[in-house]
């Protein structure tokens, strides 16, 4: 098992080119299944979740190969409408293939998806919407058999909660359905807009993606295209946090500043200077960090749940007391124990965490609890005094492409062992 060994307290300085977004690459990889001919996806991050999505595509009969950061998918004759249980378990986003397979093949057999353990992660909203689109769903021993005997049909769908995954699955199912789909209370995350842009490039008719009402007019066929995956806003947030926690100065390139406003506002409140152009962000964290009075995770454009753990790692050594409320997932404070072992003063009650700033954290042996919890440990280790040994880093590899190499180029002392 691999681990990171970090000598903390090194000030980070320099430029980082931000990788492509995992949460955009995964649904777009699923979407390639809907398109005849070849799709070429540029700026795809090299991550274990991306490799798992490629294995799912191959298992259905598509040709899929990754070269550097470009994935080529030819989906001329996908034939197998089933996803092996082992591949479903590898990641949460495997569920995206349900909408895509139903759209292209009219049926899909699959197990429940795996992914981070952030509390229960039901897929009831996905299934309810698909039923409205004419899908019969049968469940036996944890295996779902989904069929659309008369083909998928467009429908009016209202989501009780703006679930990112359900919105994406409905889009994937709707683009080749018969008639129009109108989705209300849709999630507005930028990755949904990215998926819609890819599908539109392939010939889909979608209006309103990125807003809470999306209209899709079903078309008969889609044709693959060349598309560049958007930059990863949570990886951007992680490097911003790494600058903040080390009192450093970083310029992040090839990012999308507009999608990071809620995070930049918090960093500015904490006393970081942030300047942005459309595609770059400069952060300078000269003075002492200040606590934030109250930070609540919300669907986009609110503060993202995926950045909560990472910002908490910075708030541990800020002046004063910060209160964080997690509203999206039930079990998203699993990183707190490890931060406390590094000297943080944090109390958790239900969905609220109260962080009393301490002067500094100290290195310790800690393990990554999940993807973003692992990124929080990494951030804390960069700022801590002494050596941090971070184990279970396979969680981090699900979302970060070569993080230790990137961090070394800006002055961090970190080894993968
Ligand atoms: C996506 C992101 C994940 C992020 C999350 C919230 C990807 C690959 N993952 O996950 O990084 O943390 O959005 O921004 O894009 N829910 C239900 N029933 C459903 C679906 C969801 O109750 O059918 C609940 C979930 O349990 C959770 C909340 O809705 O409490 C949000 O989930 P959702 O927006 O669907 O997140 P994911 O798409 O799984």
């Amino acid at each position: 098992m691999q681990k990171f060994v970090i000598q903390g307290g090194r000030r980070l300085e320099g430029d980082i080119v931000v990788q492509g977004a995992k949460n955009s690459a995964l649904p777009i990889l699923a979407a390639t299944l809907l398109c005849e001919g070849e799709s070429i996806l540029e700026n795809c991050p090299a991550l274990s979740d991306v490799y798992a999505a490629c294995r799912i595509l191959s298992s259905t009969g598509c040709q899929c190969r990754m070269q550097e950061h470009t994935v080529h998918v030819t989906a001329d004759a996908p034939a197998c409408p089933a996803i092996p249980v082992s591949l479903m378990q590898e990641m949460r986003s495997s569920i995206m293939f349900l909408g895509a397979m139903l759209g292209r093949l009219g049926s899909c057999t699959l197990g429940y998806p795996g992914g981070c353990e952030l509390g229960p992660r039901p897929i009831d909203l996905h299934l309810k919407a698909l039923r409205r689109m004419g899908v019969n769903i049968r469940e036996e021993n944890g295996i779902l058999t989904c069929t659309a005997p008369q083909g998928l049909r467009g429908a009016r769908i209202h989501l009780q909660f703006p679930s990112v995954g359900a919105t994406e699955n409905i889009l994937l199912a709707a683009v080749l359905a018969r008639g129009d789909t109108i989705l209300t209370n849709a999630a507005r995350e930028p990755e949904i807009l990215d998926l819609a842009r890819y599908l539109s490039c392939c010939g889909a008719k979608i209006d309103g993606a990125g807003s809470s009402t999306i209209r899709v007019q079903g078309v008969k066929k889609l044709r693959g295209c060349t598309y560049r995956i958007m930059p990863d806003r949570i990886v951007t947030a992680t490097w911003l946090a790494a600058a903040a926690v080390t009192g450093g100065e970083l310029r992040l390139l090839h990012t999308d500043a507009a999608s990071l406003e809620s995070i930049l506002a918090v960093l500015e409140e904490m006393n970081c200077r942030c300047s942005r152009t459309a595609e770059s962000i400069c952060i300078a964290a000269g003075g002492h960090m200040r606590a934030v009075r109250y930070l609540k995770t919300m669907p986009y454009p609110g503060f993202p749940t995926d950045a909560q753990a990472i910002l908490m790692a910075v708030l541990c050594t800020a002046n004063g007391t910060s209160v964080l409320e997690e509203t999206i997932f039930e079990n998203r404070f699993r990183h707190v124990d490890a931060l406390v072992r590094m000297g943080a003063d944090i109390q958790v009650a239900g969905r609220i965490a109260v962080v009393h700033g301490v002067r500094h954290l100290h290195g310790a042996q800690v393990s990554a609890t999940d993807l973003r919890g692992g990124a929080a440990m990494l951030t804390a280790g960069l700022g801590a005094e002494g050596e941090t040994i971070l184990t279970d880093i396979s969680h981090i590899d699900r979302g970060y492409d070569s993080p230790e190499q990137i961090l070394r180029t800006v002055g961090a002392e970190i080894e993968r062992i």
Side-chain angles (χ1 to χ4, degrees):
M1 218 196 301
Q2 296 191 335
K3 57 188 174 190
F4 286 140
V5 179
I6 307 161
Q7 309 302 330
R10 308 289 185 269
R11 183 172 183 272
L12 302 190
E13 201 176 330
D15 289 355
I16 293 179
V17 175
V18 175
Q19 70 181 59
K22 165 180 92 75
N23 287 356
S24 176
L26 297 176
I28 291 179
L29 279 164
T32 62
L33 188 59
L34 290 163
C35 307
E36 291 175 18
E38 189 184 34
S39 286
I40 301 174
L41 305 180
E42 298 167 350
N43 202 31
C44 236
L47 305 170
S48 51
D49 274 12
V50 167
Y51 303 142
C54 289
R55 283 200 295 281
I56 294 179
L57 284 167
S58 302
S59 77
T60 64
C62 300
Q63 276 100 50
C64 184
R65 72 188 156 85
M66 184 161 183
Q67 217 170 21
E68 305 273 306
H69 288 101
T70 302
V71 180
H72 298 251
V73 184
T74 306
D76 276 330
C80 175
I83 306 175
V85 172
S86 57
L87 288 175
M88 279 306 292
Q89 288 295 318
E90 268 188 49
M91 58 166 180
R92 168 84 185 170
S93 296
S94 46
I95 193 65
M96 287 304 112
F97 284 87
L98 173 56
M101 271 193 198
L102 284 166
R104 185 75 189 272
L105 298 166
S107 69
C108 180
T109 304
L110 75 176
Y112 279 91
C116 282
E117 290 177 11
L118 309 175
R121 295 183 78 170
I123 52 169
D124 56 314
L125 300 174
H126 302 234
L127 301 184
K128 197 170 155 194
L130 291 171
R131 282 196 179 98
R132 283 183 70 84
M133 298 180 79
V135 181
N136 291 334
I137 301 171
R138 203 160 37 84
E139 185 186 342
E140 222 172 320
N141 302 325
I143 301 292
L144 297 165
T145 307
C146 308
T147 49
Q150 262 100 57
L152 290 169
R153 55 165 193 267
R156 270 184 179 275
I157 298 166
H158 180 81
L159 284 177
Q160 279 151 352
F161 179 86
S163 152
V164 175
T167 301
E168 291 168 343
N169 237 337
I170 294 163
L171 260 182
L172 291 166
V175 284
L176 288 180
R178 222 169 45 248
D180 295 357
T181 297
I182 298 173
L183 174 61
T184 49
N185 201 25
R188 291 181 285 165
E189 269 65 5
E191 293 76 15
I192 290 164
L193 185 55
D194 211 33
L195 170 64
R197 282 192 174 135
Y198 163 76
L199 287 166
S200 300
C201 259
C202 298
K205 296 217 160 88
I206 304 170
D207 242 0
S211 77
S212 52
T213 301
I214 305 180
R215 287 185 176 75
V216 182
Q217 202 182 321
V219 296
K220 289 227 157 21
K221 264 187 189 184
L222 296 175
R223 183 118 210 120
C225 70
T226 299
Y227 190 77
R228 190 170 174 81
I229 305 287
M230 67 173 279
D232 196 308
R233 60 197 169 98
I234 306 303
V235 171
T236 307
T238 310
W239 302 148
L240 290 169
V245 85
T246 62
E249 209 166 324
L250 289 178
R251 188 163 65 137
L252 306 178
L253 303 168
H254 294 195
T255 186
D256 173 25
S259 67
L260 277 124
E261 273 312 324
S262 65
I263 293 166
L264 291 170
V266 173
L267 286 162
E268 284 171 337
E269 193 181 333
M270 290 166 70
N271 197 26
C272 296
R273 272 178 293 121
C274 303
S275 59
R276 47 280 218 189
T277 68
E279 292 187 1
S280 72
I281 300 173
C282 294
I283 179 167
H288 206 79
M289 291 292 118
R290 285 193 295 259
V292 291
R293 280 177 44 174
Y294 178 59
L295 184 57
K296 179 176 175 177
T297 63
M298 297 284 280
Y300 190 84
F303 185 84
T305 173
D306 283 352
Q308 176 259 108
I310 298 158
L311 265 284
M312 188 190 287
V314 186
L315 290 169
C316 288
T317 49
N319 248 335
T321 298
S322 309
V323 177
L324 281 74
E325 182 178 357
E326 171 59 53
T327 73
I328 308 292
F329 289 107
E330 268 176 40
N331 191 10
R332 213 163 195 186
F333 287 138
R334 297 173 78 227
H335 48 281
V336 167
D337 284 352
L339 290 172
V340 169
R341 285 184 47 204
M342 295 175 76
D345 180 354
I346 306 170
Q347 270 101 42
V348 174
R351 290 184 172 218
I352 304 272
V354 180
V355 184
H356 301 287
V358 295
R359 279 192 77 77
H360 51 77
L361 297 184
H362 53 77
Q365 173 146 356
V366 288
S367 59
T369 47
D370 54 68
L371 168 55
R372 304 305 171 188
M377 303 285 77
L378 180 60
T379 307
L382 292 169
E385 286 184 354
E387 182 173 274
T388 295
I389 298 177
L390 176 52
T391 59
D392 282 342
I393 60 174
S394 58
H395 288 296
I396 297 176
D397 291 331
R398 289 189 39 233
Y400 294 81
D401 186 344
S402 320
E404 73 284 14
Q405 287 172 28
I406 287 167
L407 286 166
R408 274 202 297 267
T409 64
V410 290
E413 215 177 312
I414 173 170
E415 295 275 1
R416 181 188 288 263
I417 292 179

